[in-house]
Amino acid sequence: MEYMSAHEAAEKWGITKRRVQMLCASNRIDEAVRVGNMWIIPTDAEKPADGRIKDKKAKDDKVFKNPIRTARNRIKAITTSGMRKMSLHGLAHDDAKLSFVMLFASELMQFYITKAERNDYSSSVNAALERITRHNVIEYEGNAVIRANIREFLKDNPFCCDDALSWAYQYANKVDPGASYSNTQFFTEKYMITTLVDSINLVSRKKVLDPACGGGNFLLYCLDVLAERYSFDDKKNSMLYLQNELSKLNGYEIDKTLALVASINLRLKCLAILSEHGHTIDVEDFERFLPNIYYPERDTVPGALDITNVEFEVLKVGALGSYNSNVVFSGVDAIVTNPPFQTIKGMPESLKEYLKAAYPKSKCDMCNAFIELSYKLLEDEGIAGLVTQNSWMYLDSFEELRQALLLDCSIDQIWELGSNAFYDLSGEKSNVALLLYRKTEPESGSAVRLISLKTMELTAKESLLASKKDNINTEKIILQSDIFNNEGSRFDMISSRGLRTLLISSEKYEEYAVPMQGTSTGNAKELIDFYWNHINDKDWILVSKGGGYSRWCGLNHYCVKWGKEGQYIKATKGSAIRNASYFDQTQMVFSDTGTSGLNVREVLPGQIFVASGPGIRIKKGKTNAHLAFLNSRIASYYIRLLSPKLTIAAGYIAKLPTCLNIMQSTELDEYGKRCIEAKRHRLAKRACNIEFMPLHHFKDYTYQEMAFRWFMEDINDEWIQLQLEARIDTYIEKELSLSTEDLETINNSIGNKKVFVQVSDETVDLQELESILKKSIDSNCNIVRTKIEKKALGCDGLLEYISQKLNTSCESIYKVFADQAFYPSIMKEHYENLYLHSVVVSALGYPYKPVSMNLDELTKKIGTDNEEQVAFVQNWIIEQFNDVHFEALMKSPVFEFIPSQNKIVYRREEKDE
């Protein structure tokens, strides 16, 4: 789909641009999309008549694609292809990157100059770029294809012209994973920029600085905002106005090539503004603007952070001579920036030592160091808007930084976006928060507006912030002084007063147990493996690796090459053996991946733990009561509150609020014991678990009947577990005196869990249920994914998962299977495979003494006198065993059926021979 700007639509329909924007905002133009501060409209859209378009569904039921993501993908493809062509031409990565940037900039300039009619301005444009950047545009025959691709992209996506060059640079830089700054350059999304800049009164600011300006995206929007209040009737005066407003905007960038990009972008922005208001543009106009974009004259590791200790010389893109750094960093009354997201992991030693000395509160976190820097640079009454990682709001290590901000600044707003805030960063790689504060001491009544959007999808966050609503149902207004009363002065975005009080005043879990760090092997790929690959090998012992979601017990697929007292790990570079002296005193382990919530399991005899599946040692209380508490919803709620990171640190489990009546509860201990029994019964059917129990087929039943029995046993066992977990949650809620408001807050944060029927007429659509099953079950009859939405906790079984997918109770789903005997074909197929696989590998001696065996001998050992059943199982082995076994043992098979030998061989035995 092609788009036009609001200005172009206004000219096409003979109405004002403002009117077009109002029509878009009121949802009266089908498929109009807000991109940052502007609206884009499909080129085939018609001028709206009366009445609203209530449904933004695409015409003819076509799937609506996000134009930003589509455009970015196209830029990435063009850039990757262009860089490859230049590389084949013999250019080194840095030379290719600069050449590609120059080509892209050349096409952008010609796009603005010749929108109506294309002529070849490439020579004069190239010359202008070379004068400004002091770099030649390297021309060779491959450039023609690159230019054509860029030209076509700009024609189809004019709404992307502002920042297209920035994104092209980012993608070009990432072609070489070892390129400078490639791991920390993630440019800012427009909705983040507009949210922060629109919250700052730019008109009243004398000097605006972006100290990590990248491609200048923040400054581009600032110029847009400043230009909105001018008529642009006369070109000469319009240019003078833009030059004056441009002089207020300052950017600093450590990456020289990226500084060039920012300067070019701002010059092109001036051309775009003039062009939009009907003025004719020529090449000379490009050179008449001189943005204040600077970069360091000497090599510097910390970039703008370097200014703390000493003044130094800087260079300005497009200008001669050098400048004192004070030209950039003094007199600043507004800062807007998206600093690099780099923590101590993988940080150069020189940068690490510098940050420790110059920014001690940041704890070697570059993003947090920029928070400190912004405060130092601002004049009194100045204002700062930053894109940050939200770790500074919660983690213990940043308590001193939080307290300094709370004491010295007036924090106006924080928008917590969570993960999935960037189009180009998927999953949980970064948790983002937008911070807006003023450099002025808070007054007694100073309040902070906290807005939590972290459970929303990206498009929903973008849409909500673009709407500029004054009241959002996920916001809280909290006195700044009250934040000091929170545990560790954390910025609690979501708690009720009761839940905050509980965290501050109750006993902590560390009084009853010691959560511990696990061993780092230094080389998990070589030292950790599936247990079935090392049967009866004394050097390998059972280990808790974590790496998934499972409550009570489970995830026991792995062993570690330990040897005598960890000899193999000790011999590995980068390893660290931790808490080995407590291995035999450890009762529980947990998964350190926290996106699905806290999930804790019993330790098996002889099992040790590593960093991804750390251990917990109980000091007092009943073991299963501990498990019950840690697997409760209240524990997962607080873990999310205390630690926003991808991983769960042992120290945050220690801070969970609890009480003696919970830890020593006989009732909870019994519930926990029964949950383990129910869960273990399910695990025993699956050969990938150490809990697997070899079995012998009963002759009185067919294989199909036993498969159905297994299916119903799993359903019943999970239903027992879910009912017990509901009782556990109720018990803990009562002991901690949680109010209705507290429980609603928990549900809003981690999702509601509907165990029992809540309305009498609750029904289940069997067709929809079967459709979900087809997409949700793996070869071991386990759910493929553990959670259905961002804020929800993980699911520990099929009933729980379907309940959340259908937004109905687990009880209703259970009754469909149990009372209505619903056994769809997909479950029949999977459970027959599961049962037959378990029977076959058991007959082959798995997991204790696996052996090879021919088909006739194997069939006889399995045990059945029914010829039809014998034929059934033999056909299954011949046609399906290898595929089922490969998936059942997680793509690391122990056996293989060899048709030419009519035999299943034990692969290790054959290898040893």
Side-chain angles (χ1 to χ4, degrees):
M1 182 178 294
E2 295 183 0
Y3 292 89
M4 56 184 169
S5 68
H7 181 79
E8 290 169 326
E11 288 187 339
K12 179 179 178 181
W13 296 336
I15 58 179
T16 66
K17 176 181 173 182
R18 178 65 178 162
R19 179 61 180 160
V20 173
Q21 292 171 332
M22 292 175 63
L23 291 170
C24 293
S26 60
N27 198 23
R28 291 183 61 190
I29 301 178
D30 195 15
E31 294 177 6
V33 178
R34 178 152 182 154
V35 181
N37 66 311
M38 67 185 217
W39 286 94
I40 58 173
I41 299 106
T43 53
D44 61 354
E46 297 180 358
K47 180 181 176 182
D50 292 337
R52 290 174 179 251
I53 297 172
K54 298 179 180 179
D55 187 1
K56 294 190 77 172
K57 187 179 180 182
K59 293 180 181 179
D60 301 323
D61 292 329
K62 293 179 182 177
V63 176
F64 178 74
K65 294 183 179 180
N66 186 289
I68 299 176
R69 195 181 299 278
T70 302
R72 294 264 184 88
N73 288 339
R74 194 164 164 190
I75 295 175
K76 188 173 185 178
I78 293 170
T79 303
T80 304
S81 173
M83 289 289 289
R84 190 178 297 117
K85 291 179 188 297
M86 291 182 171
S87 177
L88 291 173
H89 188 66
L91 293 180
H93 175 77
D94 285 345
D95 292 334
K97 181 172 62 178
L98 182 57
S99 295
F100 185 82
V101 164
M102 296 286 278
L103 283 183
F104 209 111
S106 173
E107 288 302 317
L108 268 168
M109 198 192 309
Q110 292 176 74
F111 174 80
Y112 287 123
I113 293 172
T114 61
K115 271 189 177 181
E117 180 180 352
R118 178 162 186 89
N119 297 297
D120 188 6
Y121 285 87
S122 59
S123 297
S124 56
V125 166
N126 288 353
L129 284 171
E130 289 170 1
R131 284 191 292 273
I132 290 165
T133 64
R134 297 182 179 84
H135 289 280
N136 295 329
V137 180
I138 302 174
E139 292 287 1
Y140 71 101
E141 60 183 20
N143 280 7
V145 175
I146 299 173
R147 284 185 179 278
N149 288 336
I150 296 170
R151 197 176 303 143
E152 190 67 21
F153 169 80
L154 297 175
K155 176 177 172 292
D156 295 341
N157 301 275
F159 63 92
C160 281
C161 289
D162 272 10
D163 57 7
L165 185 59
S166 296
W167 291 104
Y169 175 85
Q170 177 173 304
Y171 297 136
N173 207 28
K174 292 185 184 300
V175 168
D176 178 6
S180 301
Y181 318 113
S182 63
N183 292 329
T184 57
Q185 286 176 343
F186 293 100
F187 298 151
T188 322
E189 301 295 349
K190 282 190 174 179
Y191 79 97
M192 300 178 188
I193 294 171
T194 58
T195 297
L196 289 172
V197 174
D198 287 347
S199 301
I200 297 171
N201 183 7
L202 281 182
V203 176
S204 65
R205 301 295 165 182
K206 297 177 182 178
K207 184 174 182 178
V208 180
L209 172 67
D210 184 344
C213 70
N217 293 354
F218 263 109
L219 301 176
L220 290 170
Y221 182 62
C222 287
L223 189 58
D224 248 340
V225 171
L226 293 172
E228 283 181 355
R229 62 197 183 105
Y230 192 74
S231 62
F232 290 95
D233 294 332
D234 174 77
K235 181 180 177 181
K236 182 179 179 180
N237 289 332
S238 296
M239 291 190 70
L240 289 173
Y241 175 79
L242 285 176
Q243 288 168 345
N244 181 65
E245 297 304 292
L246 194 61
S247 69
K248 299 177 184 177
L249 307 178
N250 297 263
Y252 185 81
E253 174 54 49
I254 191 174
D255 183 342
K256 179 181 177 180
T257 307
L258 191 50
L260 295 180
V261 169
S263 183
I264 291 169
N265 274 337
L266 282 165
R267 293 169 188 265
L268 291 176
K269 184 64 179 177
C270 292
L271 300 189
I273 292 171
L274 291 170
S275 176
E276 186 176 274
H277 288 86
H279 297 299
T280 302
I281 305 301
D282 55 43
V283 177
E284 288 75 17
D285 292 332
F286 179 80
E287 297 186 76
R288 291 189 178 101
F289 296 101
L290 183 58
N292 296 323
I293 301 297
Y294 301 88
Y295 58 94
E297 183 179 42
R298 59 176 172 80
D299 289 338
T300 172
V301 176
L305 299 172
D306 210 5
I307 193 63
T308 298
N309 288 340
V310 63
E311 296 176 12
F312 52 90
E313 296 300 300
V314 298
L315 301 175
K316 184 175 180 178
V317 178
L320 299 174
S322 61
Y323 300 78
N324 185 281
S325 56
N326 278 331
V327 171
V328 186
F329 299 109
S330 63
V332 177
D333 61 353
I335 289 176
V336 282
T337 191
N338 175 17
F341 286 9
Q342 183 175 18
T343 59
I344 195 169
K345 185 177 181 181
M347 181 177 285
E349 194 64 32
S350 56
L351 178 57
K352 192 186 307 180
E353 293 304 316
Y354 179 83
L355 292 179
K356 286 179 181 178
Y359 300 91
K361 298 184 184 71
S362 74
K363 306 300 181 185
C364 291
D365 184 303
M366 250 190 128
C367 184
N368 291 343
F370 270 87
I371 296 177
E372 287 194 65
L373 174 70
S374 62
Y375 177 79
K376 292 176 182 178
L377 295 181
L378 280 176
E379 300 277 293
D380 289 343
E381 304 297 328
I383 191 166
L386 297 94
V387 180
T388 73
Q389 293 205 80
N390 69 352
S391 55
W392 71 269
M393 299 165 58
Y394 301 102
L395 298 189
D396 289 350
S397 51
F398 303 128
E399 181 175 355
E400 191 178 356
L401 175 61
R402 288 193 292 273
Q403 291 182 343
L405 282 171
L406 290 166
L407 280 171
D408 300 333
C409 306
S410 293
I411 300 175
D412 290 345
Q413 296 190 68
I414 297 175
W415 299 262
E416 190 171 17
L417 306 180
S419 59
N420 286 331
F422 291 96
Y423 281 100
D424 289 81
L425 276 177
S426 60
E428 306 286 338
K429 292 180 182 178
S430 64
N431 278 287
V432 178
L434 307 182
L435 167 65
L436 183 74
Y437 75 85
R438 288 173 290 115
K439 187 174 179 178
T440 178
E441 288 188 13
E443 299 176 357
S444 58
S446 292
V448 184
R449 186 184 185 216
L450 304 174
I451 302 172
S452 179
L453 307 178
K454 62 183 182 180
T455 61
M456 293 182 177
E457 294 302 318
L458 193 159
T459 50
K461 297 171 188 175
E462 187 174 20
S463 176
L464 186 62
L465 292 179
S467 68
K468 310 295 182 188
K469 288 183 179 179
D470 292 330
N471 294 306
I472 300 174
N473 59 11
T474 56
E475 77 172 43
K476 287 191 174 185
I477 308 296
I478 299 177
L479 289 177
Q480 188 162 317
S481 56
D482 285 350
I483 298 174
F484 273 109
N485 297 326
N486 292 342
E487 177 80 9
S489 301
R490 289 184 182 86
F491 285 81
D492 184 351
M493 309 286 281
I494 52 180
S495 288
S496 62
R497 183 175 294 276
L499 291 170
R500 287 199 297 271
T501 301
L502 181 63
L503 186 62
I504 295 168
S505 61
S506 69
E507 294 178 283
K508 299 295 183 287
Y509 184 65
E510 62 189 354
E511 298 176 36
Y512 298 93
V514 182
M516 298 173 284
Q517 283 186 296
T519 288
S520 296
T521 64
N523 188 352
K525 186 176 181 180
E526 296 294 330
L527 296 176
I528 293 181
D529 196 5
F530 296 118
Y531 78 85
W532 53 83
N533 290 329
H534 303 277
I535 293 170
N536 300 322
D537 187 335
K538 293 182 180 179
D539 279 340
W540 292 77
I541 62 175
L542 189 64
V543 69
S544 165
K545 182 180 177 292
Y549 183 88
S550 184
R551 303 192 292 266
W552 306 105
C553 48
L555 298 183
N556 295 316
H557 317 305
Y558 301 98
C559 57
V560 61
K561 193 172 186 180
W562 185 256
K564 186 177 181 181
E565 297 180 349
Q567 67 186 82
Y568 296 104
I569 292 176
K570 290 177 181 177
T572 303
K573 185 179 179 180
S575 66
I577 293 183
R578 304 185 186 95
N579 293 304
S581 60
Y582 295 113
F583 283 160
D584 61 350
Q585 302 173 45
T586 301
Q587 294 86 2
M588 298 174 291
V589 290
F590 63 95
S591 295
D592 78 328
T593 302
T595 55
S596 296
L598 183 60
N599 54 112
V600 185
R601 299 171 293 283
E602 64 171 354
V603 167
L604 299 180
Q607 186 178 35
I608 67 172
F609 54 89
V610 291
S612 57
I616 300 175
R617 174 168 49 92
I618 294 175
K619 294 193 290 188
K620 57 182 176 180
K622 299 181 183 297
T623 299
N624 294 327
H626 277 256
L627 275 166
F629 168 70
L630 294 173
N631 283 316
S632 68
R633 286 169 56 77
I634 187 72
S636 280
Y637 165 79
Y638 275 116
I639 281 294
R640 281 199 179 172
L641 180 70
L642 294 170
S643 175
K645 297 173 70 177
L646 174 65
T647 55
I648 297 174
Y652 292 105
I653 296 178
K655 294 183 179 299
L656 293 174
T658 188
C659 66
L660 181 64
N661 287 348
I662 291 174
M663 297 293 95
Q664 293 189 341
S665 169
T666 301
E667 187 174 342
L668 285 185
D669 194 57
E670 178 62 24
Y671 291 158
K673 177 184 175 182
R674 290 168 61 189
C675 281
I676 292 172
E677 290 171 351
K679 181 68 177 292
R680 194 185 291 146
H681 195 206
R682 288 153 62 195
L683 297 174
K685 296 180 174 71
R686 291 150 174 87
C688 62
N689 301 312
I690 196 67
E691 294 91 344
F692 176 67
M693 294 295 293
L695 70 152
H696 188 78
H697 176 66
F698 291 105
K699 295 181 181 180
D700 295 340
Y701 298 92
T702 66
Y703 297 111
Q704 296 90 337
E705 288 170 340
M706 286 303 301
F708 176 70
R709 174 180 284 193
W710 271 27
F711 169 65
M712 289 310 304
E713 284 178 355
D714 279 357
I715 294 299
N716 282 310
D717 285 335
E718 188 190 351
W719 177 232
I720 289 169
Q721 178 185 329
L722 288 165
Q723 293 177 86
L724 291 167
E725 288 173 341
R727 294 178 190 175
I728 289 168
D729 285 331
T730 300
Y731 184 98
I732 293 172
E733 290 161 8
K734 183 177 179 182
E735 284 296 331
L736 296 179
S737 302
L738 300 186
S739 67
T740 301
E741 181 191 6
D742 297 334
L743 296 177
E744 288 178 354
T745 300
I746 292 172
N747 288 338
N748 288 335
S749 173
I750 61 176
N752 197 1
K753 183 176 178 179
K754 300 177 181 178
V755 177
F756 301 107
V757 172
Q758 297 179 348
V759 290
S760 57
D761 60 346
E762 194 172 74
T763 58
V764 178
D765 185 323
L766 298 186
Q767 187 174 356
E768 187 176 2
L769 174 56
E770 188 163 5
S771 176
I772 292 172
L773 290 171
K774 289 178 180 178
K775 300 174 184 177
S776 307
I777 300 299
D778 66 12
S779 59
N780 277 317
C781 299
N782 294 322
I783 52 176
V784 176
R785 298 179 62 192
T786 63
K787 54 189 287 189
I788 64 152
E789 62 176 355
K790 193 167 181 58
K791 73 176 179 180
L793 298 180
C795 300
D796 205 29
L798 187 62
L799 296 178
E800 189 175 6
Y801 182 79
I802 296 172
S803 167
Q804 292 193 22
K805 287 289 285 185
L806 294 179
N807 193 28
T808 189
S809 68
C810 298
E811 184 178 10
S812 292
I813 308 300
Y814 170 74
K815 287 180 176 180
V816 168
F817 293 125
D819 296 348
Q820 300 180 35
F822 184 59
Y823 188 44
S825 58
I826 186 67
M827 302 308 293
K828 181 178 184 296
E829 176 188 347
H830 277 63
Y831 267 88
E832 285 179 5
N833 286 338
L834 179 69
Y835 179 74
L836 283 167
H837 178 261
S838 297
V839 168
V840 169
V841 297
S842 296
L844 291 167
Y846 179 86
Y848 306 118
K849 293 182 179 181
V851 296
S852 301
M853 201 174 293
N854 66 52
L855 190 57
D856 290 336
E857 182 186 0
L858 177 60
T859 308
K860 186 176 180 180
K861 188 170 182 180
I862 289 173
T864 181
D865 298 329
N866 186 299
E867 292 184 6
E868 184 180 337
Q869 287 287 290
V870 170
F872 175 76
V873 73
Q874 287 191 343
N875 286 335
W876 182 85
I877 291 171
I878 293 168
E879 295 176 5
Q880 297 192 62
F881 175 79
N882 283 346
D883 290 339
V884 172
H885 181 64
F886 181 77
E887 295 295 332
L889 290 196
M890 303 166 78
K891 298 180 173 57
S892 184
V894 171
F895 300 103
E896 182 179 6
F897 175 69
I898 310 295
S900 61
Q901 301 176 28
N902 206 32
K903 179 181 182 181
I904 293 182
V905 300
Y906 175 40
R907 295 162 67 100
R908 183 174 168 189
E909 180 181 77
E910 295 291 309
K911 184 178 180 181
D912 291 343
E913 290 179 0

